Amino acid sequence: MAHKNTTPREITFRVRRFDPDTDSAPYWKEYRLNITEGMTVLEALHEIKAQQAPTLAWRSSCRMGVCGSCGMFINDLPQLACQTQVLHLGTDVVTVAPLPNYANVKDLVPNLEPLIEKHAAIKPFIIHPSRQEIDEPTGEFLQTPEEREAISQFTYCIKCGLCLAACPTVATDPLFLGPQALAQVYRYTADNRDCGLQERLEAVDVFHGPYQCHLAGACSQACPKGVDPAFGIQLLKRTLVLDSIGFGKKQSSVAQVNPLAPSGVVKALDEFAPPPRTV
């Protein structure tokens, strides 16, 4: 049985500091710390704050990769500090900076307001055609295991913002809706219980919507939950095309199949498939 190496190893942390009340520009500060196997970047920051830099600021909460609040730019990659083990980075110098593509509040704290605003803009909830049915439901909004599985991957988003930090389009177009919100547009539109595509079209405009995506795939690489927002955006593009040619008319009841749910999309594509070739 292999034993964990408990011998401490000295690691240098290059942390980007910035206090808007006292600093005219961000700067780098180095801290040295003895690291043992299994220690995460978040734990290291706690030790640095306790022993060397009491004013160091960052955002964190759960420490178990659920809340998504400790997103940072670690060794030039957007990662969750609580899930990133220091020694697994394989370097003697670890750089820690706030997430790019966001304004910097202080030290390692990004301003996530654009992420939340864009997420809210796409109406991230089930939209039913009958308000009365929402207020006074006559039954459950049923969903089969297969219908749930079709959208399950896209429900794991924890809104950590890493995908926007990695996105090259967000870097050049701040108004771009971004991979997080666009993937969630597909998540709700493809839900068989939802009838809200038309209400979401105002947010999903052509100038800053899914067709601005360059399919770099950096968002999916950065996602700590395997959501694969780049894939969700491509599915959304297909959904919007089908809607524009007449397959986007929602049913009046969620008891009927949503034609833009994955099974409906496949059926629609089948109708446009060329007839089989005969030899």
Side-chain angles (χ1 to χ4, degrees):
M1 180 178 178
H3 295 281
K4 188 193 311 188
N5 183 11
T6 58
T7 304
R9 176 178 162 190
E10 186 176 83
I11 300 293
T12 299
F13 288 83
R14 292 189 70 242
V15 180
R16 207 180 79 164
R17 304 294 309 269
F18 175 64
D19 185 341
D21 294 331
T22 59
D23 302 325
S24 58
Y27 63 96
W28 293 96
K29 181 76 172 178
E30 291 191 355
Y31 307 95
R32 290 179 175 79
L33 201 64
N34 289 324
I35 302 296
T36 56
E37 184 69 34
M39 194 170 184
T40 65
V41 171
L42 182 59
E43 290 172 327
L45 290 175
H46 275 287
E47 287 209 15
I48 290 173
K49 184 178 180 70
Q51 300 173 11
Q52 305 178 51
T55 61
L56 181 61
W58 68 86
R59 187 184 288 120
S60 65
S61 183
C62 74
R63 301 194 186 193
M64 54 191 300
V66 174
C67 73
S69 60
C70 67
M72 301 177 191
F73 208 47
I74 302 170
N75 279 9
D76 299 326
L77 290 173
Q79 305 181 65
L80 293 181
C82 70
Q83 286 190 329
T84 306
Q85 294 191 25
V86 178
L87 297 185
H88 289 185
L89 294 171
T91 58
D92 291 328
V93 178
V94 175
T95 61
V96 187
L99 291 176
N101 296 342
Y102 297 97
N104 188 196
V105 177
K106 181 182 179 183
D107 292 336
L108 305 175
V109 182
N111 183 352
L112 297 179
E113 284 187 10
L115 168 73
I116 303 304
E117 289 172 355
K118 291 174 181 179
H119 177 72
I122 60 99
K123 299 186 177 182
F125 45 82
I126 299 298
I127 297 176
H128 192 278
S130 172
R131 183 66 195 179
Q132 183 177 355
E133 187 65 23
I134 294 292
D135 295 336
E136 301 176 6
T138 58
E140 296 175 300
F141 297 160
L142 298 178
Q143 190 173 52
T144 67
E146 292 75 20
E147 289 167 338
R148 165 66 185 184
E149 181 62 27
I151 62 170
S152 182
Q153 171 182 348
F154 303 105
T155 67
Y156 298 145
C157 175
I158 59 175
K159 303 165 194 65
C160 60
L162 299 190
C163 58
L164 272 76
C167 177
T169 305
V170 173
T172 57
D173 179 10
L175 296 180
F176 176 53
L177 203 53
Q180 189 279 333
L182 290 172
Q184 293 308 294
V185 172
Y186 178 74
R187 174 259 179 271
Y188 286 99
T189 298
D191 194 309
N192 69 296
R193 303 164 296 176
D194 182 82
C195 298
L197 175 61
Q198 296 304 317
E199 293 190 38
R200 296 189 181 98
L201 287 181
E202 184 177 346
V204 188
D205 67 82
V206 294
F207 295 107
H208 306 288
Y211 298 105
Q212 282 288 80
C213 172
H214 298 164
L215 197 55
C219 56
S220 296
Q221 183 179 10
C223 180
K225 292 298 181 180
V227 172
D228 197 355
F231 179 48
I233 293 174
Q234 303 316 302
L235 292 175
L236 176 60
K237 290 178 182 177
R238 181 176 68 174
T239 299
L240 294 176
V241 169
L242 291 174
D243 177 72
S244 68
I245 59 177
F247 285 94
K249 296 178 181 178
K250 296 293 181 155
Q251 308 295 331
S252 60
S253 170
V254 290
Q256 298 172 286
V257 176
N258 177 348
L260 291 184
S263 58
V265 170
V266 172
K267 290 178 183 177
L269 288 176
D270 287 343
E271 293 196 22
F272 280 87
R277 297 180 61 182
T278 56
V279 179

